[in-house]
Amino acid sequence: MSELLKVRDLKRHYEVHVPQGLFGRKASLKAVDGVSFSIEKGKTLGLVGESGCGKSTTAKLVLGLIPATAGSVEFAGTPVTAKHDARWRALRRRMQMIYQDPLGALDRRLPVVTQIGEPFEIHNPEMSRVERTERASGLMNAVGLRPDQAMRYPHELSGGQRQRVVIARALALEPDLLVCDEPVSALDVSIQAQVLNLLDDLRERTGFAALFISHDLKVVRQMSDRVAVMYLGRIVEAGLPEDVFLRPQHPYTKALVSAIPTPARRGKRERIVLEGDPPSPVDVPPGCAFHTRCPIAQPSCRNTVPQLVSSGGHAVACHLVNDGAATAVQAAE
Amino acid sequence: MTLETAPGLEPATPANTSGSVFTAKNRVQAFFEAWPPLVLIALFWIALIAVLVVGAMWIAPYDFMALDLRARLIPPVFMGGSWAHPLGTDELGRDVLSRLIVSIRISMVIAFLSTMIAAVLGVTLGFLAAYFRGRVEQVILMLIDAQAAMPFMIIALAVLAFLGSSLFLFTVLMGFYGWERIARISRGLAISANERGYATAVRDLGATPYRIYSRHILPNIASTLIVSLTLNFPEVILLESGLSFLGLGVQPPMTSLGNMVGYGRDYIQSAPWIMLAPSAAIVLTTLSISILGDWLRDKFDPTLD
Amino acid sequence: MVEYLLMKIFRALVTVTLIVSAAFVVLRLSGDPAIIILGPEAPPEAFEAFRRNWGLDQPIWVQYLKYFAAVFQGDLGVSMRDGRSALEVVSERIPLTLAITLPALFLKLCIGLPAGVTAALYRNSWVDRLIMMLSVAGFTVPSFVLGLVLAMVFAVWLGWLPSGGSDTWAHAVLPTVTMGLVGAAVIARFTRSAMLEVLGQPYIRTASAKGLLWRDVVRTHALPNAAIPTLTIIGFLVGSLVAGAVVVESVFSWPGVGRLLVNAVANRDLAVVQVILLLVGLTMVGANLAVDILYGMVDPRLRIKRLKAGS
């Protein structure tokens, strides 16, 4: 299988001033701190984690919207840079994004059909106006919008319909990669399912690969071929959805999974409640970033950062899990 | 603009016998709430001025430069003059009404062109600052601060002293009035548009900066810009008439409102109408446009100062 | 605080340098001074001598540096009109301008501040409407029209006051009142919007909700906060005293700096124009600096903000 997107040791640090003393203190906010993953053609990687764990920053880094502090992003064999030049713009044909807030992502002064046709205007300027409108209408149909909604303005549509407009626009040029940043979290629960089904259908039909970001485990599970769990800028566990959600290894994933309300298993599994908030990404705890909230942390967790160690396609970054397994892997090598 | 609103009045006429009086009354009330009388009067005056500007050559009864030494210093019709010269004549027997109409035309055209120059300059620089940020933005902000720190009257006088006055130069010079406010507004609005999703989303589609700014940001901030231009316009009229009054703006034989006041000032005792007619035109016009601008601002953009 | 002040002073110096340089650039842009002063028909030897005398044959940067040195030694050239030092010509007019602009400033503040505060406190009442209508009128009536109308009423019709000249204190009344009324409109409008802004803040509602008398809320919370933005506009008015006097002095033939400027522009007496330009620039910069210092004292937030920004 060919790898469409390859992310290696991606980091994004922000210089910030912390008010302290007379002049404050310079510090670095590690929004994303060494993330690696890859996405195969036509497959979907789900990225889950609490808000502020660096999911959205990862999305922006992958698309080259913001420059990385370190690490690399490779798309179809060529590096993705954040320099917004002609090459960058041309690359937009092949990688697109769906946003959390569809109303914000649409121009409120243009009818939706114009906005859906805009990618053609940008990338195929020679396309005639008639053909453009035809293609846009076709896209509207494909995402389940009625023809009579073509001349509507974004604020005249419902949240779900707006998101359909954004999806239609993103898919206009049939991109190879679609990054979905919390695409349904701003929508009503009843609408969420419709939009997710639509995305699923479209993916089957057009075969784009996707990076699917959400804080909602159910959503990620439904959409993804593989899943990665992020905590404070790092991936702590990754693998097939069944493995990660049914047999979580990392204590953080365990806690997340135990919080999913599932009527069938009620009472069977005890819910793990994490204490406190995640630490500020400015002051990431040394060693394993999770040790401050981990119910089973050992003294050693405070010293060394655990590496993401894979065994049988299921990778975990936890000393307590890996200590046995890791030695086993090393021995095998 | 005013005429379109006229149908709203119809239900209030006595012909409407069908229903209750209250509806009619409420409609009248609603109409005047939507269109305050002061705004209607202002719009009417602006429309009149617009007609005069467009049709000055046909409307003016005399050539504005034509001398008639037999008809010197005739008072206007309401001060004992005749209908031959409704607003009287000046010291050289020139018809004040004709001069007034031509002056209005010249003053308005200068103010309009200057405001357009200020708009283009301000929007361009504001957008450049918003797009490049960093050093370019610092330089533009410094220019804005420098312009705002010096009273424009003094800058204008200095430039006129150094470069002399011609109609073209004068108009361009007036075009530098107010650009810094427009630049500041466009920069702020463009930055916040960039922070809002739609501009970013279009950029993520692969749009060029030119496309983002001209096709998306400009239409989105147009209403605020139009309001601030409406507020800039009367100030340009005041500045132009002030400089022309001092004899440093529009030069004879051309005439402008300020020019006429400056000329009429010497006859303040014997023929005050020469000075009063253009003064009234200046005040009514700037007042009307200010009222309109304030009203537009309250209606469309309460955040603008 | 010290850092904040030093930065402001540094910026003020930069601005002064810019103004001086701008005057130099404009002076050079306006064409060959030899032709302007001697006229295009002068013999070539005269041009040569003129250029050598004034150092115009040297490279432009040498001229620039010499110009700078001269400016800072107070040597600002000679008035082409009467051959005296331009600085002297201008400075003898300054007291006359101050004689009308300072009372006018006082008048502006005395009318404008209370009017603006009253309008804001009684928002949307008839008092507010009246004050705002007068203020809009003050904005839209040009000062030369107001001045001429006042002259017509009080000098021509009533004969109470002289309409032009500067012989007695009575001559100063009309120009002062004209400037005062126009400026008061600006201050009233600005004060009103600053006050409204403050009155809309949550802390005002909190203060009045916790049971303070409204009078005390206004006095202890609203007024001091509204004073901060109002300071800016007052600073600008102080800085533009000369600019504001240009038109009014011409209307009433008051021989101050403003009228001198108009005459100098009309006669293209560049040295005098340049001195006035620098004078206005310096007062503007000085007034801005004073406002900034007052800001620093009135508004403790500014100091903290600076620190947070890390500069």
Side-chain angles (χ1 to χ4, degrees), chain B residues 181 185 227-228 231 294 297 301-305, chain C residues 189-190 192-194 197:
Chain B
R181 257 179 305 172
I185 293 171
V227 170
S228 75
L231 295 172
D294 282 348
R297 180 185 59 191
D301 192 65
T303 57
L304 200 74
D305 185 44
Chain C
R189 190 175 169 132
F190 203 88
R192 176 179 179 267
S193 70
E197 170 100 34

Side-chain angles (χ1 to χ4, degrees), chain B residues 141-205:
Chain B
L141 284 178
M142 211 181 70
L143 284 175
I144 288 175
D145 283 346
Q147 173 85 70
M150 278 296 267
F152 191 80
M153 189 75 170
I154 298 291
I155 298 180
L157 284 172
V159 172
L160 289 173
F162 288 126
L163 301 182
S165 187
S166 70
L167 202 56
F168 173 75
L169 180 82
F170 186 61
T171 309
V172 173
L173 179 63
M174 295 296 100
F176 277 83
Y177 179 79
W179 72 268
E180 83 278 3
R181 257 179 305 172
I182 294 162
R184 210 177 263 161
I185 293 171
S186 351
R187 171 182 163 271
L189 291 172
I191 286 175
S192 76
N194 275 323
E195 276 161 8
R196 296 258 296 283
Y198 70 92
T200 321
V202 179
R203 188 197 64 187
D204 296 353
L205 286 176

Side-chain angles (χ1 to χ4, degrees), chain A:
Chain A
M1 272 289 214
S2 59
E3 281 176 345
L4 181 70
L5 183 78
K6 217 153 121 190
V7 174
R8 284 289 160 265
D9 206 23
L10 200 57
K11 290 184 183 173
R12 171 73 194 190
H13 297 176
Y14 292 95
E15 292 273 294
V16 288
H17 273 274
V18 188
Q20 184 189 321
L22 192 59
F23 294 101
R25 158 176 76 89
K26 268 195 185 158
S28 105
L29 185 156
K30 293 171 178 153
V32 174
D33 194 27
V35 163
S36 303
F37 59 83
S38 56
I39 300 177
E40 290 168 3
K41 228 173 164 168
K43 298 289 182 185
T44 300
L45 173 70
L47 205 54
V48 270
E50 290 164 288
S51 55
C53 73
K55 294 170 303 196
S56 293
T57 310
T58 307
K60 287 180 189 154
L61 288 168
V62 163
L63 290 168
L65 305 183
I66 52 172
T69 311
S72 68
V73 178
E74 229 173 68
F75 177 80
T78 50
V80 175
T81 55
K83 194 165 171 258
H84 296 183
D85 51 10
R87 200 183 71 85
W88 184 90
R89 287 196 287 272
L91 195 59
R92 299 305 110 189
R93 295 187 76 129
R94 303 189 58 193
M95 47 204 315
Q96 272 301 321
M97 180 156 180
I98 292 174
Y99 309 85
Q100 178 171 3
D101 169 22
L103 185 59
L106 293 169
D107 189 330
R108 62 200 170 96
R109 301 231 163 221
L110 289 176
V112 295
V113 68
T114 315
Q115 304 201 47
I116 293 174
E118 190 158 18
F120 301 121
E121 267 183 77
I122 295 168
H123 294 283
N124 288 343
E126 67 279 2
M127 185 186 279
S128 73
R129 177 184 283 268
V130 179
E131 194 190 347
R132 204 165 60 220
T133 315
E134 230 163 66
R135 296 276 291 269
S137 308
L139 284 162
M140 286 187 66
N141 187 32
V143 297
L145 289 167
R146 296 193 309 274
D148 65 280
Q149 290 165 332
M151 292 314 286
R152 297 270 182 88
Y153 290 89
H155 65 267
E156 297 173 325
L157 298 176
S158 70
Q161 289 165 340
R162 285 176 206 143
Q163 195 58 292
R164 284 169 197 267
V165 173
V166 172
I167 292 171
R169 183 174 67 175
L171 294 180
L173 297 165
E174 296 172 2
D176 301 319
L177 175 70
L178 193 65
V179 173
C180 310
D181 185 6
E182 303 267 10
V184 295
S185 57
L187 305 178
D188 289 348
V189 180
S190 55
I191 309 294
Q192 286 190 356
Q194 292 176 15
V195 172
L196 289 175
N197 287 339
L198 170 69
L199 276 172
D200 222 11
D201 284 354
L202 291 169
R203 190 170 59 134
E204 244 161 59
R205 252 188 287 165
T206 57
F208 58 80
L211 175 62
F212 195 94
I213 293 169
S214 178
H215 66 275
D216 188 332
L217 274 72
K218 295 195 307 297
V219 168
V220 169
R221 188 173 167 188
Q222 182 192 341
M223 299 299 295
S224 312
D225 299 306
R226 282 182 66 79
V227 174
V229 182
M230 270 185 94
Y231 185 77
L232 278 182
R234 289 167 167 271
I235 292 177
V236 294
E237 184 158 5
L240 298 172
E242 308 89 88
D243 286 341
V244 173
F245 292 131
L246 297 182
R247 290 175 289 280
Q249 303 284 306
H250 195 283
Y252 177 63
T253 319
K254 282 183 183 162
L256 284 185
V257 171
S258 79
I260 303 177
T262 35
R265 259 185 265 128
R266 175 169 296 168
K268 257 172 105 182
R269 199 193 295 207
E270 155 193 20
R271 188 167 167 200
I272 306 168
V273 180
L274 290 179
E275 277 172 24
D277 293 321
S280 150
V282 178
D283 293 304
V284 179
C288 174
F290 187 58
H291 82 253
T292 50
R293 298 165 82 197
C294 184
I296 52 168
Q298 303 293 313
S300 65
C301 296
R302 284 179 207 159
N303 302 321
T304 30
V305 180
Q307 296 303 307
L308 194 63
V309 179
S310 171
S311 72
H314 189 167
V316 185
C318 176
H319 294 307
L320 297 165
V321 177
N322 289 338
D323 268 357
T327 34
V329 170
Q330 274 166 0
E333 281 170 355

Side-chain angles (χ1 to χ4, degrees), chain B residues 38 142 145-146 148-155 157-164 231 234-235 238 241-243 245-246 248 257-258 261-262 265 268-269 272 275-276 278-280 282-283 286-288 290-291 294 297 305, chain C residues 11 14 18-19 23 26-27 29-30 36 133 136-137 139-142 144-145 148-149 151-152 156 189-190 193 236 239-240 242-243 246-247 250-253 261-262 264-266 268 270 273-274 276-277 280-281 284 288:
Chain B
L38 217 53
M142 211 181 70
D145 283 346
M150 278 296 267
F152 191 80
M153 189 75 170
I154 298 291
I155 298 180
L157 284 172
V159 172
L160 289 173
F162 288 126
L163 301 182
L231 295 172
E235 292 175 21
L238 289 181
S241 56
L243 286 168
F245 169 80
L246 296 173
L248 303 171
L257 291 172
V261 180
R265 157 198 183 193
I268 188 167
Q269 211 147 3
M275 176 214 104
L276 286 177
S279 297
I282 296 172
V283 171
T286 50
L287 193 62
S288 298
S290 297
I291 288 172
D294 282 348
R297 180 185 59 191
D305 185 44
Chain C
R11 283 194 70 157
V14 170
L18 277 176
I19 293 170
V26 178
L27 202 65
L29 275 183
S30 61
I36 293 175
M133 226 151 78
V136 169
F139 261 93
T140 51
V141 177
F144 58 90
V145 168
L148 286 175
V149 170
M152 205 164 82
V156 179
R189 190 175 169 132
F190 203 88
S193 70
F236 187 83
S240 56
V242 171
V246 169
V247 172
S250 297
V251 171
F252 294 102
S253 313
L261 176 59
V262 173
V265 171
R268 307 197 68 182
L270 299 186
V273 173
Q274 186 191 311
I276 298 178
L277 197 63
V280 174
M284 276 320 287
N288 277 336

